[in-house]
Structures are given as C-alpha cells and as structure tokens.
C-alpha cells in the first residue's frame, strides 16, 4: 500500500503539485489559527479548511491521501505504545467500557435503521458512533493537568479499550480476507526483546523517531501482505514495545509528528465536500443524541461503585464523537461498504462534537461544584475505590503527591521520628508504596472535597509535591478554605508559579533545579552545602 502511494506521489511531483500542497498547508494553518482563537480544537479548523477548499473546486489527490494515511498509521502506533493492560483489567474500565459500547451500538443501530441503510453500514457506523475521542479527551485532561487523576486514568482506560475495538473494526472495514499466513503473526510477541534491544541501541536522538516510523510502517506492510489491515499492524507494533520507559520517550517524540500528518487526513475528508439535505438531517439528529453518551457513561460509572465526582468528570470528557468514527467510516467508504458521503457526515459530526465539548470541558470543575448536590444523590452508599480519606489517623505530616520528591520527603520525615501520611491519586502508585511499607492512601489534589471533614488539628505541615501548578494551587486554596493554619510547603514547577502559590496561601516554596544548582556550585567551591529553604 505505502509503496504504491509513494510511487504515485513521485510521478506527480511538479511545480503545480508543490503549489497545491502550499495551498492545503496555508488553508489548514489559517483555519487552525482561527479555531484556536475561538478556543476550539484545531481539528475543527482543519476540517473546515477542507470544506472551504472543496467549495472552491479543489479536490483531494494522492499527496494528501498519502499524508493522511501516514497520520492514521502513526496515530494507531502511538495508541499501541500507550496500551497498559494493567489499566484495562480493572473491573470499572472493562465493565463501563464494554457495557457502554454494547448499549450505544444497539441504540445507534436502531436510529440508523430510519435511513434504511444496508446492515453492514448500520453496524460499522453504529459501533463507530459509540466511540469517544481519544485525542480530545487526552488534550483537555492534559490542559487541566488531570491525566494522572483517578477519573483521568479511568477515562483513558475506557478509551484504550474502545481504540482496540476500533482497530479490529478497521480490519473489517478495510475489506479483503486474511490468508493462512496471518496465523504466523501470533508469534510476534517473541520479537519484543529484539525490538526493545534495537530501540535502546539507537539512542534518544532522531534515530529513535526513524526507528518508530520504520516499525509502524514495516509492521503495517507485513499485515498488508497477509491480507490484514495495515493500520492494525501499526497498533500491534506499538503494543509490542509498550510498557518500557524508552517507548514513553518515543511516544512523546512522535506525538507532534503524528498531529502534523493527521492534518492531511482531516483535510482529505473535508475535500470530499458537504452533505446533501438528508445528510444534514442525520448530522443534526446524531448531534442531538450526543448528550445521551455522557448520561449513559455517568450512570454506568456510578453503577460500578465509583463516586459521582469521578463519574461526572469522566463522562464530560468522554462526551464527544471519536476521530476513530471518522477513520473507520472513511476506510469503509474506500472498500465500498458505505457511501462516501457518510465519511463527510461523520467528519462534520465529529468536528461539531469537539466544538461543543471543548468549552464545557474547560469549566468542568466549576460545573461539578454547581451540580454536586443534585448529582450526589445518584452515588451509591458503598465504599468507593476512589474515596477521599475520612480520617488521617495518627499523622503529623501530610505529603501530597508520592512521586520521587514526595517519597524522599516521606522517608526523611520517618528518619526524623515523624509520622507522615502520603496521598496520591494514582492507584498503581499507592499499591507500590504500600508494598514498600509506606502509609499512602488515595487523595486527589484537584478535588475540593479532599480536606472536607478531616481533623487537621494534629497536622504540623502539608508538603505539596504534585507535578503541576494548577493542582498545587487548588490544594493550597482548599486547605486554607478549611481553616488550616499550619505550615504548607510546595515545590515549584517553574519560577513564575511562586506568585500564584503565595496568593493561594503557601508558607514557603522551592524551585528544585535552582536549589540543586546552588548546591552543585557550593560543592565545586568546597563549601558545605546547607539546604536552602526558599526560592531567592
């Protein structure tokens, strides 16, 4: 597949083709900037650019198709790099994810029958519409610094489960039938040690990126040979090296590259043109049904004994149609399983759902505080896995955030005869710390209810070592709101964060890199390194 695309591209390269590519890039850039200024996801701008170019008489060609296909391959490869089976085997993730997928598919299938579509088209579109957006959720949660929170990990786990289903749906949508040689692919896991060895040998520079591209495209080509979809091969390639620290580095390096090439995919969809009247009716109908996705997520999450706050924050993030719906529909259209106009309709639907979700997600914590009394009555009266602490026990120091800095602070306090208690929002981190003999319980720095009702009279100090300024500021503000007058120390993520923390009520703040630099200089001068206690 890739060889044919590259050959066709080589045949058509000319000054005219270069000018056309410049027009595409300029249109995507301008509309992306406009979307960003309107606080909308840039994907909305890219799709709009494609629609405007189509209205101007321009059409897609092999160049934009090659760029778009590579973007989809890189998307699936990076998804594979982030698949953590430990996060998928949680009952809440599997239960909520599968039940939502089944119920949503049945519901959307019933609605789609009104358009008298073929059975295969109904199935593919209905399942696709059941997916939520991985890109949008990851970006909005990253902007709110909530990827490491309990509700963030729950949402990402559900999305990964959906993404795996989406890739197998792509295999169906791609058409064709696998050969018997496809069975040999079951032996791919034995290549993991070899692939990891090569990854470490290439180092951390641009060779690592080239290795990632080679692995994604090469595995896709191998799957294509045996009659399977190349995109499925890209996902499997990522899964083969997932879970290693170097694969996380590769993910970070490929993220921006993947985003650039995906612009080609969204432009390609937009260049298909706009739907007719019936198409707009379908888009409007599915958009009106969008809130039902979030409502179903909320009640399923609460039904699995999680808190109403977790359910609300997760469901809002998951209330959008997925880019995978667009990818699956576009692939099915190429295989003549659905009409090409459905890819355009799904593209518009995804863009509009992004545009609606983005502003709501930015104020989701404020919305929770407003609707908390009404939503709490749906919460089950059980012991929640994501419960906030009801008592701190015999504790005189609290360490909020049990990463490297928090763990070091905890251990030092123990060595000084103190009784610290660690709080962290990552269940896996809590389990690891408990196995090492430390007292650590669940606690979300962003949760305004974290300190509510706790007896803080015996707590001498709270050390805030979470990794982002927003969570630190929220934690300090909420502590002071509960009339805690004790010592609060916080690590600074960057120097300019100091003012925000001081306004929130922090006692003292530290910039670790500045302190380390001073102590390094002192050591080089043969001076005794006395720890500094603030940012000067």
């Amino acid at each position: 597949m890739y060889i044919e695309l590259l050959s066709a591209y080589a045949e058509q390269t000319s000054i005219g083709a270069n000018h056309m590519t410049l027009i595409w890039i300029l249109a995507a850039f301008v509309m992306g900037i406009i979307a960003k200024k309107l606080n909308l996801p840039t994907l909305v701008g890219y799709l709009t650019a494609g629609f405007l170019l189509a209205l101007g008489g321009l059409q897609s060609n092999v160049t934009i198709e090659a760029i778009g296909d590579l973007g989809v391959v890189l998307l699936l490869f990076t998804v594979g790099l982030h698949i953590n089976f430990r996060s998928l085997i949680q009952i809440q993730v599997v239960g909520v994810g599968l039940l939502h997928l089944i119920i949503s598919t049945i519901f959307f299938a019933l609605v789609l029958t009104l358009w008298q579509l073929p059975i295969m088209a109904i199935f593919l579109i209905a399942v696709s519409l059941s997916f939520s957006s991985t890109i949008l959720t990851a970006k909005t949660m990253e902007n709110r610094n909530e990827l490491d929170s309990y509700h963030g990990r729950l949402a990402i786990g559900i999305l990964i489960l959906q993404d795996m289903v989406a890739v197998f749906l792509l295999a169906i949508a791609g058409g064709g039938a696998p050969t018997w040689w496809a069975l040999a692919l079951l032996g791919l896991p034995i290549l993991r040690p070899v692939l990891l060895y090569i990854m470490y040998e290439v180092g951390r520079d641009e060779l690592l990126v080239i290795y990632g591209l080679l692995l994604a495209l090469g595995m896709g080509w191998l799957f294509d040979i045996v009659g399977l979809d190349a995109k499925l091969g890209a996902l499997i390639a990522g899964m083969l090296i997932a879970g290693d620290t170097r694969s996380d580095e590769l993910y970070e390096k490929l993220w921006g590259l993947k985003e650039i090439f995906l612009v080609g995919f969204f432009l390609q969809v937009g260049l298909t043109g706009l739907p007719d009247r019936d198409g707009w009716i379908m888009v409007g109908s599915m958009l009106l049904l969008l809130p039902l996705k979030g409502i179903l997520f909320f009640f399923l999450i609460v039904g699995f004994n999680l808190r109403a706050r977790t359910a609300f924050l997760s469901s809002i993030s998951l209330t959008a149609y997925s880019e995978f719906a667009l990818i699956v529909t576009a692939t099915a259209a190429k295989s003549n399983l659905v009409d090409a106009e459905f890819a355009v309709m799904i593209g518009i639907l995804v863009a509009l759902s992004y545009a609606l979700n983005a502003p709501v997600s930015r104020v989701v914590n404020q919305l929770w505080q407003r609707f908390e009394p009404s939503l709490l009555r749906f919460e089950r009266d059980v012991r929640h896995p994501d419960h906030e602490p009801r008592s701190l026990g015999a504790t005189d120091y609290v360490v909020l955030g049990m990463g490297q800095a928090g763990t070091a602070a905890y251990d030092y306090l123990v060595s000084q005869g103190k009784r610290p208690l660690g709080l962290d929002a990552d269940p896996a981190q809590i389990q690891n710390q408990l196995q090492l003999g430390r007292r650590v319980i669940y606690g979300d720095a962003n949760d305004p209810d974290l300190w509510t009702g706790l007896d803080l009279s015996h707590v001498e100090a709270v050390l805030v070592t979470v990794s982002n300024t927003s969570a630190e500021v929220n934690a300090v503000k909420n502590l002071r709101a509960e009339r805690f007058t004790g010592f609060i120390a916080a690590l600074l993520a960057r120097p300019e964060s100091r003012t925000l923390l001081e306004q929130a009520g922090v006692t003292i703040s530290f910039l670790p890199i500045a302190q380390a630099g001073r102590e390094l200089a002192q050591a080089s001068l043969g001076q005794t390194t006395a720890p500094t206690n603030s940012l000067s």
Side-chain angles (χ1 to χ4, degrees):
M1 180 182 72
Y2 303 111
I3 295 176
E4 289 86 346
L5 286 172
L6 291 174
S7 298
Y9 173 69
E11 291 175 3
Q12 77 142 33
T13 51
S14 64
I15 297 299
N18 290 336
H19 286 171
M20 189 65 67
T21 303
L22 178 61
I23 292 173
W24 290 331
I25 295 174
L26 178 61
F29 177 75
V30 171
M31 295 310 300
I33 287 289
I34 292 174
K36 187 174 182 179
K37 290 294 183 182
L38 296 174
N39 288 323
L40 296 174
T42 51
L43 175 151
V44 178
Y46 305 147
L47 282 169
T48 304
F51 294 137
L52 293 176
L53 291 174
L55 290 174
L58 298 181
Q59 296 180 343
S60 179
N61 63 21
V62 69
T63 304
I64 201 72
E65 288 178 7
I67 294 172
D69 282 348
L70 184 55
V72 174
V73 167
L74 289 177
L75 170 65
L76 293 169
F77 180 65
T78 53
V79 167
L81 287 174
H82 251 206
I83 289 182
N84 184 342
F85 285 102
R86 285 196 305 172
S87 66
L88 292 178
I89 59 177
Q90 298 179 35
I91 184 64
Q92 292 86 4
V93 172
V94 176
V96 173
L98 290 182
L99 282 175
H100 191 279
L101 191 65
I102 293 170
I103 296 172
S104 297
T105 297
I106 294 173
F107 177 75
F108 283 120
L110 291 174
V111 174
L112 288 169
T113 56
L114 298 176
W115 277 269
Q116 299 180 341
L117 303 176
I119 295 297
M120 179 56 73
I122 289 177
F123 170 74
L124 291 173
I125 297 174
V127 178
S128 298
L129 292 176
S130 302
F131 301 144
S132 299
S133 173
T134 302
I135 292 177
L136 180 65
T137 301
K139 283 188 173 181
T140 54
M141 284 195 166
E142 184 178 27
N143 291 339
R144 300 200 310 261
N145 299 306
E146 295 177 2
L147 278 176
D148 289 329
S149 65
Y150 189 95
H151 63 270
R153 292 175 182 274
L154 174 67
I156 295 301
I158 292 171
L159 288 167
I160 290 174
L161 186 67
Q162 291 182 350
D163 291 347
M164 294 178 68
V165 175
V167 174
F168 286 103
L169 199 65
L170 275 171
I172 298 174
T179 67
W180 286 105
W181 286 104
L183 295 175
L185 299 177
L186 296 174
L188 284 176
I190 65 175
L191 294 178
R192 176 179 167 85
V194 177
L195 297 176
L196 290 177
Y197 173 79
I198 298 174
M199 185 165 62
Y200 274 85
E201 285 296 308
V202 301
R204 288 188 165 90
D205 53 16
E206 69 278 359
L207 279 177
L208 182 61
V209 177
I210 296 174
Y211 177 67
L213 291 171
L214 181 63
L215 189 56
L217 295 174
M219 195 66 70
W221 174 72
L222 182 61
F223 271 60
D224 201 23
I225 287 178
V226 298
L228 293 172
D229 194 280
K231 302 178 186 68
L232 177 60
L235 177 82
I236 299 299
M239 292 173 62
L240 286 175
I241 59 174
D244 189 88
T245 53
R246 190 62 61 85
S247 66
D248 292 336
E249 295 179 28
L250 179 58
Y251 176 88
E252 295 294 333
K253 289 179 179 293
L254 287 177
W255 176 268
L257 189 62
K258 171 209 65 180
E259 295 283 281
I260 293 172
F261 282 104
L262 274 177
V263 172
F265 174 77
F266 296 127
L267 276 174
Q268 178 186 346
V269 173
L271 284 165
T272 308
L274 294 171
D276 55 18
R277 184 177 65 87
D278 290 339
W280 282 111
I281 292 175
M282 177 179 284
V283 170
S285 301
M286 294 304 169
L287 201 61
L288 291 174
L289 297 175
L290 178 61
L292 297 180
K293 285 172 65 79
I295 293 172
L296 179 58
F297 268 122
F298 177 83
F299 283 104
L300 284 175
I301 293 172
V302 169
F304 274 85
N305 298 334
L306 295 177
R307 296 168 60 217
R309 179 178 181 270
T310 297
F312 181 76
L313 298 181
S314 299
S315 60
I316 291 295
S317 298
L318 293 169
T319 305
Y321 291 111
S322 172
E323 61 280 355
F324 275 106
L326 180 53
I327 293 170
V328 169
T329 309
T331 302
K334 288 182 179 180
S335 302
N336 296 318
L337 294 176
V338 302
D339 291 337
E341 63 180 5
F342 281 106
V344 179
M345 288 186 284
I346 297 298
I348 295 173
L349 184 60
V350 170
L352 291 175
S353 73
Y354 276 32
L356 292 173
N357 181 274
V360 176
S361 290
R362 282 195 297 272
V363 295
V364 66
N365 285 295
Q366 294 91 314
L367 290 175
W368 163 248
Q369 293 178 7
R370 179 178 179 180
F371 295 112
E372 179 180 3
S374 301
L375 296 175
L376 281 178
R377 60 194 180 95
F378 297 108
E379 193 172 273
R380 301 186 65 183
D381 187 17
V382 295
R383 181 72 168 173
H384 307 293
D386 56 334
H387 69 279
E388 296 292 9
R390 299 173 182 175
S391 172
L392 298 180
T395 298
D396 43 26
Y397 282 81
V398 174
V399 181
L400 183 57
M402 289 297 290
Q404 290 184 344
T407 300
Y410 181 101
D411 291 343
Y412 180 79
L413 290 169
V414 171
S415 71
Q416 298 300 305
K418 304 299 182 180
R419 296 172 298 179
L421 175 69
L423 299 179
D424 202 279
D426 181 359
Q429 177 73 283
I430 295 171
Q431 189 61 35
N432 291 337
Q433 296 284 2
L434 290 174
Q435 290 175 354
L436 293 171
R438 299 186 181 97
R439 295 173 59 229
V440 182
I441 60 176
Y442 178 85
D444 185 352
N446 276 310
D447 190 348
D449 297 329
L450 172 59
W451 314 106
T452 303
L454 289 177
D455 181 8
L456 300 171
S457 60
H458 299 292
V459 176
E460 297 180 26
V462 176
L463 312 183
V464 184
T465 66
V466 291
S467 58
N468 63 80
T469 302
S470 176
E472 288 183 319
V473 171
N474 287 338
V476 175
K477 281 184 177 179
N478 294 330
L479 262 173
R480 294 308 188 196
E482 291 296 319
R483 300 182 180 178
F484 177 71
T485 58
F487 188 92
I488 303 179
L491 294 182
L492 294 172
R494 52 185 186 274
E496 56 269 27
S497 304
R498 188 185 187 190
T499 301
L500 293 175
L501 284 166
E502 288 179 345
Q503 293 173 349
V506 74
T507 308
I508 198 166
S509 56
F510 301 82
L511 186 66
I513 192 67
Q515 181 174 330
R518 281 194 296 267
E519 293 183 4
L520 185 65
Q522 289 172 345
S524 70
L525 295 172
Q527 300 174 357
T528 303
T529 57
T532 53
N533 60 0
S534 66
L535 175 64
S536 58

